[in-house]
Amino acid sequence: MSSRREFEIAFVGLKAGIHEFSYKITDKFFEAYQQQDFRRCEAQVKLTLDKKNSFMLLKFEIDGKIEIACDRCGNQLPLNLWDEFNILVKLVEDPDIMNLQEEDPDVYYISKGESHLYLSDWIYEFINLSIPMQRMCKPEEMGGPHCNKEVLEMLKKLDREKSQPGNPLWKGLEKFKDLPPAE
């Protein structure tokens, strides 16, 4: 339980103004969550909290690296993380109703009687959102030390076979190539 408290901020004792917090995130952080599709996480999260009277502005800066399976060849690929996320936390009387009604995902409500901010779920979400949708090396790095050369050769072979004229896979489809679009 004490490791989870590391990601709590007792904001009641903070003076109005800007406060900075820093967190180092490793694979151990993700043990409380479901199995991840990456490993060897070494991320730094810098949080800037700007406390006002009835709200707080939170800015999360994610920086670091992970290893994740390449979408092209399946080998483990080192990937850099970098992103920024902003959250507006408002102090209100009935936060449950307000959170249900709020359409902006960057606005969150907590009770005026609350004394702590719980950051774990936001950090988890923001690290996962920092991972690109396409997970592969850049074209100029293809065939480099992180690539599975056997898989790349098979992909090239399939591409050559597909582009050869007379391929039975594509036979009969040529007649549809020059048809006008359907209305």
Side-chain angles (χ1 to χ4, degrees), residues 50-65:
D50 188 0
K51 184 179 178 191
K52 307 290 184 187
N53 285 336
S54 62
F55 66 93
M56 292 174 275
L57 296 168
L58 305 176
K59 179 181 180 183
F60 292 84
E61 294 178 37
I62 310 295
D63 188 19
K65 59 184 178 178

Side-chain angles (χ1 to χ4, degrees), residues 31-147:
E31 290 174 359
Y33 297 93
Q34 64 190 12
Q35 177 73 28
Q36 303 301 303
D37 59 350
F38 58 85
R39 63 182 188 178
R40 294 190 179 143
C41 178
E42 294 177 20
Q44 293 76 38
V45 177
K46 178 183 169 190
L47 170 64
T48 305
L49 184 149
D50 188 0
K51 184 179 178 191
K52 307 290 184 187
N53 285 336
S54 62
F55 66 93
M56 292 174 275
L57 296 168
L58 305 176
K59 179 181 180 183
F60 292 84
E61 294 178 37
I62 310 295
D63 188 19
K65 59 184 178 178
I66 59 169
E67 277 189 11
I68 196 161
C70 175
D71 289 341
R72 185 179 291 126
C73 72
N75 272 10
Q76 290 299 309
L77 176 69
L79 199 63
N80 291 325
L81 302 175
W82 186 90
D83 219 332
E84 293 180 353
F85 300 91
N86 296 305
I87 296 279
L88 173 64
V89 178
K90 294 183 179 182
L91 302 166
V92 295
E93 292 295 329
D94 197 353
D96 294 332
I97 292 173
M98 297 296 287
N99 280 322
L100 287 174
Q101 294 174 349
E102 183 61 53
E103 293 181 12
D104 187 347
D106 297 334
V107 177
Y108 188 74
Y109 298 93
I110 60 173
S111 172
K112 286 185 176 182
E114 190 69 51
S115 62
H116 288 75
L117 276 177
Y118 303 96
L119 307 173
S120 297
D121 290 343
W122 284 329
I123 291 171
Y124 169 82
E125 181 178 341
F126 295 153
I127 287 177
N128 276 286
L129 288 172
S130 298
I131 300 170
M133 293 295 281
Q134 267 194 332
R135 302 158 181 178
M136 54 187 146
C137 56
K138 298 175 185 128
E140 61 270 11
E141 297 171 342
M142 210 163 84
H146 301 292
C147 292

